[in-house]
Amino acid sequence: MIAHFFAQLPALPVILPLLAAPLCVLLRHATLAWLTYCTVSLAVFGISLLLLVQVHVGIPISYAMGGWAPPVGIELRVDTLNAFVLVLVSGIAAVLGPYTRASVAAELPAERAYLFYALMLLTLCGLLGITITGDAFNLFVFLEISSLSSYALIALGTKRRALLAAFQYLVMGTIGGTFLLIGIGLLYIMTGTLNMADLAERLPAVADTRTVEAGLAFIVVGASIKLALFPLHAWLPDGYAYAPSAVSAFLAATATKVAAYVLIRFIYTVFGATYAFGQLPLGEILALLAVAAMLYGSLAAIFASDVKRLLAWSSVAQIGYIVLGVALATPAGLTAAILHMLNHGVIKGALFCAAGALFWRLHRSDLASLAGAARAMPWTSAAFLAAGLSLIGVPATAGFISKWYLLAALFEAQQGWLAAAVLISSLMAVIYIGRVAELLYLRPAPDNVPAPTEAPTAMLAATWTLVLVNIGLGLYSTPVVDVVRSAAASLTGGGA
Amino acid sequence: MTIALPWLMALPAAGALGVMALGRWPNLRDGLSVVTALLLFAAACSWLGPVLDGARPAVTLIPILPGLSLSLALEPLGLLFALVASGLWIVTAIYAIGYMRGNDEHNQTRFFACFALALAAAMGIALAGNLLTLFLFYEMLTLSTYPLVAHKGNDDARAGGRTYLGVLLTTSIGLLLPAIILTWVVAGTLDFTPGGILQGHIAPAAAAGLFALYLFGTGKAALMPFHRWLPAAMVAPTPVSALLHAVAVVKAGVFAVLKITVYVFGIDFAAAGDFTTPMMWVAAFTILAASVVALTRDNLKARLAYSTIGQLAYIVLGATLANGMAIAGGATHIVMHAFGKITLFFCAGAIYTAVHRTRVSELDGLGRVMPFTMGAFLVASLSIIGLPPLGGAWSKWALMVGAADAGQLLMIAVLAISSLLNIVYLLDIPARAFFRPGTDLPAGRQEAPLACVVPLCVTAAGSVVLFFVGGHILQLLAPVTGS
Amino acid sequence: MSTFLGLYNYWIVVLLMMIGFYIVIGHDNLMKKLIGLNLFQTSVFIMYISAGAIDGATAPILGNVDAPYAHPLPHVLILTAIVVGVATTALGVALVVRIHEAYDSLDESEIIAACDTGDEPAGEHRDNA
Amino acid sequence: MFAAAMAGVAVTMLLLLIRALLGPTVYDRILAVNVFGTKTVLLIAVLGFLDGRPEFLDVALVYALINFIGTVAVLKFMQYGDLGWGESDHPDGDV
Amino acid sequence: MTEHTILRVVAKLTIPFILLFALYVQFHGEYGPGGGFQAGVIFAAGIILYTLIFGLDEARRVIPPWAVRALISGGVLIYAGTGVACMLLGGDFLDYNVLAHKPAHGQHLGIILVELGVGVTVTGGMIGIFFVFAGRGRRREGTVE
Amino acid sequence: MHPGERRQAGIMQRYSVSLGAVLVALWLLLSGHYSALLLGFGAASCLLVLWLARRMGAVDAETQPLYLMRHLPGYWLWLMAQIARSNIDVIRRVLRGHNAISPTMETVQVSGRTELAQTILANSITLTPGTVSVDARRNTITVHAISAEGAADLNGGEMDQRVRGLETREPGYHR
Amino acid sequence: MALLLDIASWLLLLSGALVAVIGGVGMLRLPDVYTRMHAASVTDTGGMILILSGLLLQAPHWLVAVKLLLVALFLLLTSPTAANALANAAIQDGIKPMLGGQRRG
Ligand code: NA
Ligand code: NA
């Protein structure tokens, strides 16, 4: 019985949210829906941890949906990489549980709260599905499930501009998803299979055809749109700026990371790094775009006038770090990229949580409104500051660890100029985080506005959990780095 | 009996927490500051004997990364810095209580908490067992002192704070961090190891580049052109200036330079590879240029700030000369300059508190009004100039010998010329105070509060005492310098 | 003949894709964008249908007595993709309708201009099912 | 023979398409499209027999249904500018 | 459109048979080209025809909004629940073989349930979407008044 | 419950039974599979549809015209003949072109008393090529005819009479 | 017998196709929407009944025949209804029918 339970673990991260989402709709009760969300996200987090432990000490797990053997049926396949991403996504979802309660109560009409939780669960289901599936087409389906529900989530934002932001995201996201679908279709035409492991085996035989090259190009572009890689990032700043706070935090922490996972999975597992980087100047192009993203995103963040928008632009820049690591095509680079997926997820989650808590009290998110808020909201402000330092890459924070590995990988690959770009972008982060910190701590609060009070404990708890995880990762990253390294090593073909 | 190394950091950190907790009871809070400082100094002193006897305690705290831990290790150089920082914290704490209360400053709790935090960071730097640990606490020091620099919160203070943070973080993230990571990539370790870790892993030409990255990256050492933050930080209250110039910040910078030279590159490798010469010229240029600029400054704190820049470059020069005597001279100068400069800043603060004057040209005749203050000023100036029987004589002498050992006779000339410039811009001030007639001065004596005057007298006396213990300092450093 | 037919299909796919993409990018009207998006997606359905035709996998149901149900691949894929497309279009239309209610305009640049000039008080816009 | 019938239906559909394009009134177009739909139903039915897959008749039936509903919806939208209009919405009785 | 006597009478006459036909397609999926998806579309089409002719309010009386939500989510629950039932009975997710004593029967049952889930969800989804869109224009009219 | 209501309810039951019977028949005709499972599904489906139809108010004399049944087949045959005849007529006119048509609008009296009768009549008119019901209200139907002859045929009223003849028994439902 | 059935079926299908085409021609030739509706009616009734009857004779199974009849029945019920609604909408919209001997131009 226990063995059967463990054998069923891979299916649960997808099924539990999928079952819970309609349950929320049926319950139609904010608190019950919230409880459902919390329970499921926690359960899924636990399961993901179990899976990670299982694959880290053992071998990849294959789970056949419907009992059909993999090449024919849909396979769920867990290896170290996606178990790691599962932990990240479900962990963020679980931490946001307490946060959503107050945040949703403040930003959404009560009678629609259940819808919010249903959509969050659907998004979670989609993101986890993308991560865990071993079938390329199935990946597309989960991608669309998560995308559609996140469009709807963004449209729930308080300002009417949220609608346009959601629409723009829908247009870009659909183009991205369709590109991915085209790429997958081309591979399918050439190989007759959709199973990713199977694809990896069959592609070399037809690798030299234009169709496969085109497939690679379409998939990379599609994933890049979902990833918001410069210059395909246009949807992200508006989307994150106008979404409800909890949604911004959730999507910023998870959605782009999962898109990065898709990019890594296709480049390294399906096509193989040798082919992907050998056939087209893919590494060079990605590195160039990554640098452009780091610099442009940081610059835009410096000139942003709204804190959520600032954070969103910073995400554009941080995605550049991840892609840069991917583009290096070395185990060290990939290690850095995967590490930064986790670390940036935790950091951005914390920052958006803090921004949401500020918004919760101030009802505004423009920078000017933050003046002097630290006095009334010391815990929120301190959380923002701590996470901001991590974003900059100050030692003893998670951000430092990933930056360390990225720079080491760049030096190892003798890419000094790229390292310089990373450093410049980090310094730009000092400026935009510094702006917010100075406003919070050193500006006097306006006299005409009643002094706000500290955010609710539940919101603070979630925010500080992320901040502490952040610091914990910064101080003791060895186990995480071990896991990431073994994931990167198996992807790049080296021994674990 | 010795105190475990982590406690040396935990003590001021706990002090910071205590200060925050006691924010509502100012007397308790300020008392805690002083007590913590005393305890810390005592703890540091407990290690003096064992280290002199050759003990080299080391502790590994957490493996931050695989193969890279947060680790502490005590050696003579670090102990010296720890002793200076913790010792001067005592007087600075007392002085700060007087100053902050005397000037009725706001946000005193935040001030004292950050002060204690800065000391914790300084202890971390002193005890760092590897470059990663050093970098961690170096950044912590920058961040914990930023609120102190921008303490006043007005536009000037914020602008000063921005420059402070901007220069220090730009150099550390932009230059020091890549230098460390390069070292890691090249050498595979970051541990401070006697004899260095780079020899055999890197060509001398590349080493010259790396060395430059380290020295410029250590922005706290204020080598030109990365010195702007120090004058900009003048906006801070005087106790902060003391902290910056004497207790922790700049000293952490030059300490890091010495430590990196000795334990990362290794004196032998540096001497043999001859890759330090370019940076030696940068240091020499900084010495002279800073002295000239100091001459032109009428604002007392600005003049002292440029003086500090020049004096720090002495220490860097010692590192770049890359021989035992020069290193010893540089290390000794950390102590000597600390005592001298803290006295000078205490005096500047006392003058501001007592008669609200900030410009050199306004100090005429002040000697009669503030005899203790100006007397201390004179003593400290003479020490920094390097005249016996004051502590500064030891370090100047050692540096000159080091320059001669290295065959850099031009550097002896640089040291000589800069001493003359020191005389001109430093002695100018007590000379005015004692020998020129003052205007609009109070009739009788009007010293600053006792909490201000006593510390500055103590540190001035310290400068004298140091002349007599200078030999012991060199003895403590002997295992490092190999002489 | 069959290769020509195959190529012919792909030309239609490419043409539709280009037209759809052009409409998405070139038009300011949100509804037209959505139509372009639909065209864009439709081209991909045709591509998959062509792929299915090449495979000759026309029978939607395979298998034997013990396994009456198998994955009739191309058809399931197309049907799934179409469902996704329909869902996207429905959501898109719903958004367009609500944007029109909120702004009284469907012109993207007009809407953005309206956002930039008029300040939007928080909580002004609430939606309803 | 089925092919001949299909050809006839296809030609009819072509003619209807021309009418749909020519208009001139919107009702001409709706009429043409509606009849086009019913011809499609016939086409599907014949196609089913041609292919030997008479289950296509189910599809034909569904198509007839959709065609009818589509026409009604378009006419309703033309008349009321809204698809949800009902008896209770009448502002002034009969139109 | 209720004043259109002919439409109204014909609609009343045909709708029950449309709905029955939808259910026929639903339950004969494995014998023909039908299935849950198509059945859902047809069933919803019947309701949509009713809405077009008798108005949204009347349609919402017959199929209240909660029922629409229940259909959408209930369908997903049936689908996923079948999968979970397979897991609980010792198989993999959607591994129908374990649903009955004989694998063939299990598969039969599994397909029926899963198709039912799909059909119910599609029905609810289509009706929901139509209700939302049909209600939009009128709401605007209402605000004008 | 008033006697009238009870009577209504009784009628309702009767119509329900008849609709149910038709539904069951349709299911059996469509299905072709008579396993217990599918028959069960059929029964459930019929009940569900019946329930929904009652909710919709679609179970009444209009939709379950029991009273028409006897005469309906005859009417159908007659109508088919009409359709055949008018098809030929219209085809001839189409082929001959513009000169062969003389469109007219006519008003036709409806003598049947129910809406159902009106509907049957209007649809029958439309079904036969050459005439289209344009507007149906109260006791009249406005008809567009392709030729004056066709319109004249209608005014002869044979169709109207036959539709009225369908209603041999008084339905419980009045217009 | 089978041959007879086939011949009848072919005839029905052919004539159905022919009637449908003529209806289509009428859709093009007749002058306004109301007259065109008569042509539409030709294809919708004549064409449809003939073709479906042709198919009916070929039905391989009584189930198929039933479905064919259902399709026919549904079309006979809905196509005049749609036509009524269309004509009604056109009249309501103010589209005047061309009457009597009126000619274009
Ligand atoms: Na099916
Ligand atoms: Na007619």
Side-chain angles (χ1 to χ4, degrees):
Chain A
M1 194 59 216
I2 302 239
H4 178 66
F5 171 74
F6 271 94
Q8 296 306 318
L9 278 185
L12 294 177
V14 181
I15 295 166
L16 290 183
L18 187 67
L19 273 172
L23 199 65
C24 285
V25 176
L26 284 181
L27 292 172
R28 285 204 77 205
H29 188 282
T31 310
L32 291 178
W34 173 71
L35 281 173
T36 310
Y37 172 82
C38 290
T39 315
V40 166
S41 56
L42 268 174
V44 171
F45 180 51
I47 291 162
S48 301
L49 281 173
L50 278 176
L51 283 172
L52 180 61
V53 171
Q54 246 179 307
V55 292
H56 189 54
V57 300
I59 52 163
I61 303 171
S62 171
Y63 181 93
M65 292 276 267
W68 285 82
V72 182
I74 291 173
E75 181 195 16
L76 302 181
R77 196 178 165 79
V78 193
D79 62 9
T80 314
L81 173 65
N82 56 8
F84 184 76
V85 179
L86 285 179
V87 170
L88 165 67
V89 174
S90 56
I92 298 277
V95 170
L96 283 177
Y99 188 90
T100 48
R101 194 81 205 285
S103 170
V104 167
E107 295 179 30
L108 290 177
E111 70 274 12
R112 293 175 67 82
Y114 76 95
L115 203 61
F116 171 89
Y117 293 110
L119 287 171
M120 283 287 276
L121 282 164
L122 267 188
T123 313
L124 182 65
C125 164
L127 292 175
L128 296 173
I130 295 170
T131 311
I132 205 169
T133 186
D135 182 282
F137 190 84
N138 197 230
L139 183 144
F140 162 78
V141 173
F142 280 123
L143 188 78
E144 289 298 323
I145 290 176
S146 72
S147 299
L148 285 169
S149 29
S150 44
Y151 309 146
L153 278 173
I154 289 175
L156 291 176
T158 48
K159 290 183 180 177
R160 59 179 179 163
R161 182 72 196 271
L163 296 172
L164 187 64
F167 183 83
Q168 285 167 332
Y169 185 15
L170 179 138
V171 170
M172 285 294 279
T174 305
I175 291 175
T178 310
F179 266 57
L180 213 56
L181 185 62
I182 296 170
I184 293 168
L186 292 175
L187 300 189
Y188 175 58
I189 288 169
M190 292 310 292
T191 61
T193 183
L194 288 167
N195 182 284
M196 292 200 276
D198 216 27
L199 272 172
E201 271 178 33
R202 293 195 201 178
L203 271 177
V206 289
D208 291 330
T209 54
R210 286 210 172 249
T211 316
V212 174
E213 277 180 29
L216 173 64
F218 273 113
I219 287 172
V220 168
V221 173
S224 299
I225 292 178
K226 292 282 179 187
L227 182 59
L229 176 62
F230 179 91
L232 305 170
H233 62 277
W235 59 269
L236 187 142
D238 273 357
Y240 288 5
Y242 295 109
S245 302
V247 174
S248 306
F250 183 58
L251 292 183
T254 58
T256 47
K257 312 303 167 291
V258 171
Y261 162 80
V262 172
L263 190 67
I264 293 173
R265 181 57 85 200
F266 271 103
I267 287 182
Y268 285 91
T269 301
V270 175
F271 288 98
T274 328
Y275 174 78
F277 292 109
Q279 211 65 18
L280 304 162
L282 188 63
E284 288 82 350
I285 293 173
L286 285 180
L288 201 71
L289 295 180
V291 168
M294 292 185 309
L295 300 181
Y296 184 81
S298 302
L299 200 67
I302 289 174
F303 290 104
S305 60
D306 175 287
V307 65
K308 282 171 90 176
R309 185 171 275 274
L310 180 150
L311 294 177
W313 276 115
S314 143
S315 280
V316 172
Q318 300 286 321
I319 287 157
Y321 294 111
I322 297 173
V323 173
L324 189 57
V326 173
L328 278 181
T330 62
L334 200 54
T335 304
I338 299 169
L339 258 181
H340 200 54
M341 278 162 61
L342 169 72
N343 292 347
H344 180 244
V346 176
I347 296 168
K348 258 310 139 55
L351 280 171
F352 268 110
C353 278
L358 288 165
F359 180 77
W360 193 84
R361 276 299 182 213
L362 303 169
H363 304 294
R364 286 168 66 185
S365 61
D366 54 311
L367 283 182
S369 67
L370 302 182
R375 186 168 285 273
M377 306 177 69
W379 288 100
T380 307
S381 303
F384 192 97
L385 188 65
L389 291 175
S390 186
L391 189 73
I392 293 167
V394 167
T397 61
F400 176 75
I401 304 297
S402 41
K403 217 152 279 183
W404 176 278
Y405 274 97
L406 184 57
L407 287 171
L410 288 168
F411 285 133
E412 194 187 278
Q414 309 207 316
Q415 301 284 356
W417 287 110
L418 297 179
V422 170
L423 292 167
I424 291 170
S425 167
S426 302
L427 291 172
M428 290 162 99
V430 174
I431 300 178
Y432 60 73
I433 291 298
R435 277 180 75 204
V436 181
E438 202 187 275
L439 274 164
L440 287 171
Y441 282 94
L442 294 177
R443 298 264 176 183
D447 297 328
N448 52 351
V449 182
T453 48
E454 189 50 277
T457 320
M459 287 175 96
L460 283 179
T463 312
W464 272 95
T465 307
L466 290 173
V467 169
L468 291 176
V469 167
N470 212 341
I471 294 170
L473 284 172
L475 286 174
Y476 185 58
S477 65
T478 304
V480 175
V481 171
D482 279 343
V483 169
V484 172
R485 268 189 179 163
S486 83
S490 68
L491 285 172
T492 47
Chain B
M1 191 195 93
T2 56
I3 306 295
L5 295 185
W7 283 108
L8 289 179
M9 283 152 37
L11 210 64
L17 287 178
V19 164
M20 274 189 257
L22 297 176
R24 265 187 244 162
W25 303 279
N27 291 332
L28 277 178
R29 176 193 70 195
D30 296 354
L32 182 69
S33 275
V34 178
V35 169
T36 313
L38 283 167
L39 286 175
L40 180 62
F41 184 62
C45 284
S46 75
W47 280 104
L48 193 53
V51 170
L52 274 170
D53 293 342
R56 295 288 180 273
V59 184
T60 296
L61 294 179
I62 327 167
I64 292 188
L65 309 170
L68 254 184
S69 298
L70 191 65
S71 66
L72 305 178
L74 190 62
E75 44 73 53
L77 219 47
L79 180 61
L80 188 68
F81 176 50
L83 284 169
V84 172
S86 58
L88 290 180
W89 186 27
I90 302 169
V91 277
T92 314
I94 295 168
Y95 180 87
I97 293 165
Y99 182 94
M100 298 304 278
R101 293 188 176 188
N103 289 304
D104 202 18
E105 294 273 356
H106 67 111
N107 263 343
Q108 293 194 19
T109 302
R110 185 179 79 188
F111 179 90
F112 284 107
C114 285
F115 215 109
L117 218 52
L119 256 294
M123 287 302 119
I125 293 172
L127 301 177
N130 58 33
L131 277 167
L132 181 71
T133 313
L134 179 93
F135 184 72
L136 193 161
F137 288 109
Y138 182 94
E139 295 294 65
M140 184 173 149
L141 184 58
T142 308
L143 295 170
S144 58
T145 46
Y146 167 74
L148 299 174
V149 172
H151 179 80
K152 287 189 180 134
N154 53 24
D155 285 345
D156 276 353
R158 277 202 302 270
R162 271 200 287 266
T163 311
Y164 178 82
L165 204 63
V167 175
L168 289 185
L169 283 182
T170 305
T171 50
S172 69
I173 293 179
L175 304 171
L176 183 56
L177 178 62
I180 293 172
I181 296 177
L182 265 173
T183 307
W184 167 249
V185 171
V186 169
T189 177
L190 291 178
D191 290 342
F192 290 126
T193 313
I197 53 178
L198 280 169
Q199 189 158 24
H201 293 291
I202 189 168
L210 191 59
F211 192 64
L213 273 184
Y214 272 118
L215 263 56
F216 285 128
T218 315
K220 292 194 174 85
L223 266 190
M224 283 182 175
F226 297 113
H227 65 287
R228 275 290 309 150
W229 63 272
L230 199 48
M234 283 181 335
V235 293
T238 305
V240 176
S241 298
L243 175 76
L244 295 179
H245 289 256
V247 179
V249 178
V250 296
K251 293 302 178 291
V254 287
F255 166 75
V257 167
L258 286 176
K259 188 136 181 174
I260 288 165
T261 308
V262 173
Y263 292 108
V264 175
F265 288 88
I267 300 176
D268 294 339
F269 179 41
D274 195 29
F275 52 75
T276 58
T277 318
M279 290 314 291
M280 182 186 77
W281 288 105
V282 173
F285 172 80
T286 306
I287 292 173
L288 296 176
S291 304
V292 172
V293 174
L295 266 177
T296 64
R297 289 291 181 271
D298 188 34
N299 181 303
L300 179 56
K301 282 170 89 174
R303 184 175 289 192
L304 294 180
Y306 276 98
S307 159
T308 300
I309 295 170
Q311 299 296 322
L312 294 174
Y314 279 36
I315 301 165
V316 176
L317 181 68
T320 58
L321 286 172
N323 60 53
M325 208 56 201
I327 300 275
T332 316
H333 200 57
I334 291 182
V335 189
M336 306 309 176
H337 175 255
F339 273 82
K341 197 44 73 58
I342 200 170
T343 311
L344 296 181
F345 269 101
F346 281 171
C347 292
I351 293 165
Y352 176 74
T353 310
V355 294
H356 288 282
R357 296 200 171 176
T358 57
R359 308 172 78 81
V360 174
S361 52
E362 297 168 341
L363 302 183
D364 294 0
L366 200 62
R368 263 182 298 275
V369 184
M370 309 179 69
F372 285 101
T373 304
M374 291 320 294
F377 200 105
L378 179 64
V379 171
S381 299
L382 291 173
S383 175
I384 286 175
I385 291 162
L387 290 181
L390 295 161
W394 279 101
S395 48
K396 278 254 167 101
W397 170 78
L399 280 170
M400 294 230 187
V401 174
D405 283 356
Q408 301 284 0
L409 298 182
L410 262 173
M411 289 306 120
I412 299 178
V414 167
L415 289 170
I417 295 170
S418 80
S419 294
L420 289 176
L421 291 169
N422 289 348
I423 291 170
V424 177
Y425 71 72
L426 280 180
L427 282 188
D428 173 40
I429 297 160
R432 281 168 181 274
F434 286 114
F435 303 120
R436 287 204 192 174
T439 47
D440 294 338
L441 282 171
R445 244 204 248 163
Q446 192 184 329
E447 288 279 7
L450 217 55
C452 288
V453 180
V454 171
L456 64 89
C457 290
V458 168
T459 52
S463 287
V464 181
V465 172
L466 280 173
F467 179 75
F468 300 100
V469 300
H472 297 288
I473 294 176
L474 287 178
Q475 186 197 340
L476 172 69
L477 291 172
V480 180
T481 59
S483 52
Chain C
M1 185 65 193
S2 76
T3 45
F4 173 76
L5 205 68
L7 287 176
Y8 177 78
N9 285 339
Y10 288 114
W11 281 115
I12 291 179
V13 169
V14 171
L15 194 73
L16 275 180
M17 200 180 282
M18 300 298 251
I19 294 173
F21 202 63
Y22 172 76
I23 295 175
V24 172
I25 298 173
H27 281 82
D28 249 7
N29 184 298
L30 298 183
M31 203 61 213
K32 284 184 184 164
K33 270 183 194 291
L34 213 53
I35 291 166
L37 203 61
N38 239 308
L39 213 57
F40 187 68
Q41 288 180 302
T42 308
S43 70
V44 184
F45 305 155
I46 295 175
M47 188 189 90
Y48 269 74
I49 291 168
S50 309
I54 289 170
D55 264 6
T58 46
I61 290 152
L62 323 158
N64 50 40
V65 185
D66 266 345
Y69 190 84
H71 288 281
L73 273 169
H75 292 76
V76 168
L77 300 188
I78 296 160
L79 190 66
T80 313
I82 289 174
V83 172
V84 166
V86 169
T88 310
T89 308
L91 186 62
V93 173
L95 283 173
V96 167
V97 167
R98 283 177 44 195
I99 288 173
H100 191 254
E101 281 170 13
Y103 289 95
D104 257 329
S105 166
L106 281 183
D107 189 279
E108 195 178 19
S109 41
E110 271 179 29
I111 293 169
I112 292 172
C115 292
D116 291 343
T117 51
D119 60 332
E120 292 180 287
E124 166 210 304
H125 150 81
R126 292 279 190 215
D127 39 299
N128 28 50
Chain D
M1 200 47 49
F2 295 130
M6 271 183 70
V9 175
V11 170
T12 314
M13 288 166 79
L14 192 74
L15 298 173
L16 292 166
L17 213 55
I18 294 172
R19 175 48 69 202
L21 291 174
L22 285 179
T25 68
V26 66
Y27 298 99
D28 288 288
R29 295 180 211 274
I30 297 173
L31 176 67
V33 171
N34 179 36
V35 182
F36 187 91
T38 55
K39 288 319 117 207
T40 313
V41 173
L42 293 188
L43 196 71
I44 295 173
V46 181
L47 191 69
F49 275 77
L50 188 67
D51 263 13
R53 298 178 63 185
E55 68 266 22
F56 272 37
L57 282 175
D58 285 337
V59 180
L61 197 49
V62 173
Y63 199 88
L65 169 65
I66 304 272
N67 185 53
F68 176 58
I69 292 176
T71 307
V72 172
V74 168
L75 287 172
K76 178 161 187 186
F77 194 77
M78 298 255 328
Q79 220 165 350
Y80 301 96
D82 166 78
L83 293 176
W85 197 273
E87 209 164 38
S88 54
D89 301 307
H90 278 245
D92 44 19
D94 211 13
V95 175
Chain E
M1 254 188 171
T2 37
E3 79 275 22
H4 293 269
T5 314
I6 300 163
L7 271 176
R8 206 183 56 203
V9 171
V10 170
K12 277 168 120 178
L13 208 57
T14 48
I15 285 171
F17 299 99
I18 293 172
L19 299 183
L20 188 74
F21 185 69
L23 292 166
Y24 153 76
V25 172
Q26 174 73 59
F27 293 116
H28 291 74
E30 49 192 310
Y31 302 106
F37 184 76
Q38 289 89 328
V41 171
I42 300 168
F43 201 96
I47 305 293
I48 288 171
L49 180 62
Y50 187 75
T51 315
L52 283 172
I53 287 165
F54 295 93
L56 187 60
D57 290 339
E58 168 62 18
R60 282 208 167 128
R61 186 190 62 74
V62 176
I63 314 267
W66 65 261
V68 175
R69 278 191 293 270
L71 284 174
I72 297 174
S73 38
V76 177
L77 278 179
I78 293 174
Y79 179 92
T82 306
V84 172
C86 295
M87 290 166 72
L88 291 177
L89 290 170
D92 283 348
F93 185 70
L94 290 182
D95 178 3
Y96 307 134
N97 291 347
V98 296
L99 283 178
H101 290 298
K102 273 159 65 182
H105 286 184
Q107 294 220 354
H108 192 79
L109 187 61
I111 292 164
I112 288 170
L113 286 173
V114 165
E115 291 283 345
L116 185 64
V118 173
V120 170
T121 302
V122 170
T123 305
M126 298 254 319
I127 295 174
I129 290 172
F130 185 78
F131 277 9
V132 169
F133 287 128
R136 283 289 163 184
R138 191 171 47 144
R139 221 171 54 79
R140 207 162 56 225
E141 301 277 331
T143 56
V144 169
E145 278 168 7
Chain F
M1 205 184 249
H2 292 292
E5 283 176 12
R6 198 176 298 131
R7 193 171 137 259
Q8 281 297 113
I11 289 168
M12 201 57 184
Q13 295 311 327
R14 222 176 64 204
Y15 290 136
S16 297
V17 169
S18 77
L19 176 60
V22 178
L23 289 172
V24 168
L26 181 65
W27 179 276
L28 294 176
L29 279 178
L30 281 171
S31 172
H33 293 267
Y34 304 108
S35 67
L37 183 70
L38 277 172
L39 286 176
F41 282 144
S45 301
C46 290
L47 284 175
L48 174 68
V49 171
L50 197 58
W51 178 71
L52 267 175
R54 287 187 61 160
R55 266 181 86 81
M56 288 174 168
V59 185
D60 56 26
E62 273 179 17
T63 53
Q64 291 309 308
L66 298 172
Y67 57 92
L68 294 180
M69 284 305 160
R70 234 174 341 135
H71 300 278
L72 207 52
Y75 180 75
W76 266 111
L77 282 176
W78 178 81
L79 185 62
M80 284 300 139
Q82 291 298 310
I83 290 172
R85 222 185 58 176
S86 50
N87 256 301
I88 294 165
D89 178 59
V90 174
I91 286 172
R92 215 177 264 147
R93 288 175 198 279
V94 165
L95 294 179
R96 267 193 271 149
H98 287 174
N99 297 329
I101 62 168
S102 51
T104 42
M105 294 284 273
E106 285 285 344
T107 306
V108 178
Q109 291 297 317
V110 184
S111 43
R113 293 170 64 180
T114 59
E115 286 195 340
L116 181 62
Q118 192 186 25
T119 302
I120 293 174
L121 182 56
N123 268 6
S124 301
I125 290 169
T126 311
L127 211 47
T128 48
T131 49
V132 175
S133 315
V134 173
D135 200 5
R137 52 181 71 194
R138 296 271 156 199
N139 294 320
T140 60
I141 296 174
T142 313
V143 177
H144 180 277
I146 196 168
S147 63
E149 297 90 329
D153 272 3
L154 279 180
N155 271 337
E158 189 187 353
M159 191 179 273
D160 180 44
Q161 289 310 312
R162 279 178 179 273
V163 170
R164 200 198 158 163
L166 288 170
E167 303 177 331
T168 49
R169 226 176 73 186
E170 199 73 1
Y173 182 89
H174 290 267
R175 202 153 22 111
Chain G
M1 184 61 197
L3 183 70
L4 261 175
L5 219 59
D6 271 1
I7 290 172
S9 154
W10 292 348
L11 280 176
L12 286 169
L13 284 171
L14 273 184
S15 55
L18 193 68
V19 168
V21 173
I22 292 170
V25 171
M27 279 291 287
L28 283 184
R29 281 190 78 179
L30 292 173
D32 73 346
V33 66
Y34 300 100
T35 47
R36 282 174 204 139
M37 289 179 82
H38 302 303
S41 190
V42 169
T43 71
D44 269 355
T45 57
M48 184 268 286
I49 291 172
L50 287 171
I51 290 179
L52 290 189
S53 308
L55 293 180
L56 193 63
L57 296 183
Q58 299 275 348
H61 193 275
W62 65 268
L63 267 172
V64 177
V66 166
K67 276 185 194 158
L68 270 173
L69 285 174
L70 278 176
V71 172
L73 188 66
F74 190 79
L75 284 175
L76 283 174
L77 209 56
T78 55
S79 70
T81 309
N84 285 335
L86 182 71
N88 187 258
I91 278 284
Q92 301 272 348
D93 201 17
I95 310 272
K96 292 271 176 294
M98 195 175 288
L99 294 178
Q102 290 175 2
R103 291 289 179 270
R104 248 178 297 189

